[in-house]
Every structure is written in C-alpha cells, then in structure tokens.
Amino acid sequence: MTTATFRAYGFSAVGGPENQLFLDLPMLEPGPGELLVEVRAAGINPADWKSRSGGPGPVPSRFPAVLGREVSGIVRGVGQDVEGFAVGDEVFGSTAPTAGGYGEYSLLWAASSAHKPPQVAWTDAAALPVAVCTAYDGIVSLGLREGATLLVNGIGGGVGVAAAQLARNGGVAVVGTASEGKRELVESLGATLVGYGPGVAPRVRELLPAGVDAVFDMVGGDALREVAGLVKDPADLISIADKTLVKELGGRDVERRRTTKVYSEVAALVADGSLSPHVVDVRPLDEAPQALAAVESGHAMGKVVLRM
C-alpha cells in the first residue's frame, strides 16, 4: 500500500536561500475549521523570505516547512465545524499555521477564506489575502473622504499598488514614494511619484505645501520618520512595516481582519474591474526558487504568483 504524497517547496532550517528545497510530503488532512485545497495558484510575499530568515513575523517551529501564506484552489476536503464551504468549491484564502502555500495541496482557515468569483482568475485570487487585503484594511481604517490627500510611502509594492487604487477609487488624491524606475507603474495607478530617499519630505511639500491628510507607510525606519511630519493629524499615520516606531510617532499599525466578509468584498472589487492585484510574473512550481528570489530582491514591479 502506498501513501499519497504531494509536491511542495519550502525550507529545512532558518537562514538563507541555501536552506530552500523541493519536498514530497504526505497528503494533508483538514482539521477543525480547515479546508483541504488542491492549489491552483499561490501568492509570493516578502513575509515568505522573512519567515525563512527568522523574522520579523511568524517562524515555523517544525521543519521542513512549506513556504507561502495565500492560495487559490478547489476544496477537496472539509474539516469539522466548517460552514459555508463544500467539496468542489472554488476558493481563495490564508493558509493555516501548519501548512504553506507553495505546493500542490494546502490547508486554509475556513474563517479566512472566501469563494472565488468566476470572473477572477486563479492567479489574481491567490494574490489577494496578504497584500491586497492588507491595503483594504488600511484604507478602510483611515476613512478618507473624497478630495483628501494620501501619501503612500513605498507605493511600488503589492500593498502600495492596491492602496493607491482603493484610495483613488474613493476620490482621494494619491502621492507615492518610489524609485524613478517605477514611474510608469505609479502613474498608471493615477498617483503622483515622489522620489524616495533623503529630502523626500521637502519634495512632497513642493506639491502639497500644507502636508497630507494621511500617510500609509510600507517601509518603516528612517523613511517613515522622515515623512511622519507631513501628516496633519498623527492619528492618520499608519504603517505595516514598523509597529514600534509608528506608535512612537503618534500613529498606529494596520489591524488585519482576515475574514470571509473582507475577502469577499475585495474579490468583488476585482471581479467588477475596479481593483487589480497587479500580477505581473506567473511561474510554475518548478521555478519557485527564482520566483521567491525576485521578491526577495525588492525589484519586483507587482505581484509574483506560482501557478500549479
């Protein structure tokens, strides 16, 4: 009798890319509150290589561990105490702590999963739970009114790209910091590019002498400290990159909701064409090392996704 296995990509120990490897693992079983999903696509995020490197963020307690935190796929098993999902459903969501996304199968938290609208591609759906839904939670928490101004500090990444679109759709004027090489991307979002680096605050004030109504920071550290003074009310300063510093500056981090309701709302925006996760690089599982390296380099111009 043979035991069913599936192929995945992960890492054998905390450290650098040299610890990454392909794995053949025993088939998963969904526990209470979980969905077993045959993966169609898996999103790649900076949090993946940070987990492999030892943080910040969650680090596995057991190895080998599969990389990845978000997938789309077809439900093949339903755990106890799960309502609203059935075998055969097309879904997307956040992986359970015991599972990763870079594989042919994964386990999702049912409470952090949603049905995939038929208009949304597998690769787009897989890119929503981490970056795009983080942007959604941040923009909703700011509650900006039409005509307000928003500075997105580090607009060129997955969260920044989504935040710019969401703010723009609400009639908010968006200014974003990024390198000159991302000008075309930033302007395609309906935002104004300001080159990052020393002197960024005066450059923003040249455009907006009175400062901005809110700052959504993706960078942290000195880059966050430099732009913090641009916001009219520190309560409207939020960061996903530096929880400690943003609080010192009078702002706050972004509270992630990760619920079926939020995920469904975001998917509906993608389905009607008002929001794009900006997937620009889709690769097969065999190219998982190269795909993660592209994200780790910091030069990716949008979302990178694995297609199974």
Side-chain angles (χ1 to χ4, degrees), residues 4-5 22 26 35 45 47 77 107 123 164 181 192 230 232 259 286 290:
T5 62
F22 284 98
L35 302 172
N45 297 280
L107 295 174
T123 48
T192 301
L230 292 166
K232 298 169 185 177
T259 64
D286 284 344
Q290 296 90 333

Side-chain angles (χ1 to χ4, degrees), residues 156-157 182 185 280 294-295 297-304:
K182 293 186 177 181
L185 167 63
V280 296
V295 173
S297 74
H299 299 309
M301 297 286 284
K303 286 289 294 187
V304 181

Side-chain angles (χ1 to χ4, degrees), residues 222-275:
D222 290 342
L224 167 58
R225 193 181 298 277
E226 183 163 0
V227 301
L230 292 166
V231 69
K232 298 169 185 177
D233 182 346
D236 294 318
L237 170 67
I238 62 174
S239 176
I240 63 167
D242 201 326
K243 295 181 180 181
T244 300
L245 179 57
V246 74
K247 290 176 182 177
E248 289 177 6
L249 296 169
R252 53 196 164 87
D253 62 359
V254 175
E255 182 178 350
R256 292 300 319 281
R257 294 176 288 172
R258 297 186 179 91
T259 64
T260 296
K261 180 177 183 294
V262 168
Y263 287 9
S264 297
E265 289 170 356
V266 171
L269 295 175
V270 178
D272 71 19
S274 60
L275 175 65

Side-chain angles (χ1 to χ4, degrees), residues 8-119:
Y9 189 70
F11 58 113
S12 57
V14 168
E18 69 277 3
N19 293 329
Q20 297 170 193
L21 74 169
F22 284 98
L23 303 162
D24 286 310
L25 299 173
M27 183 53 63
L28 301 165
E29 292 288 339
E34 295 179 343
L35 302 172
L36 172 64
V37 171
E38 183 180 349
V39 177
R40 288 290 182 264
I44 297 181
N45 297 280
D48 301 345
W49 65 261
K50 291 176 183 177
S51 175
R52 183 213 66 215
S53 300
V59 177
S61 58
R62 292 192 297 178
F63 295 96
V66 179
L67 288 154
R69 301 185 181 191
E70 58 182 357
V71 305
S72 62
I74 302 173
V75 176
R76 297 303 186 198
V78 178
Q80 294 178 351
D81 304 320
V82 171
E83 296 181 357
F85 296 97
V87 172
D89 286 353
E90 296 184 351
V91 300
F92 69 98
S94 301
T95 58
T98 56
Y102 301 8
E104 295 168 334
Y105 288 84
S106 184
L107 295 174
L108 299 184
W109 279 123
S112 296
S113 300
H115 292 93
K116 182 187 78 67
Q119 307 96 316

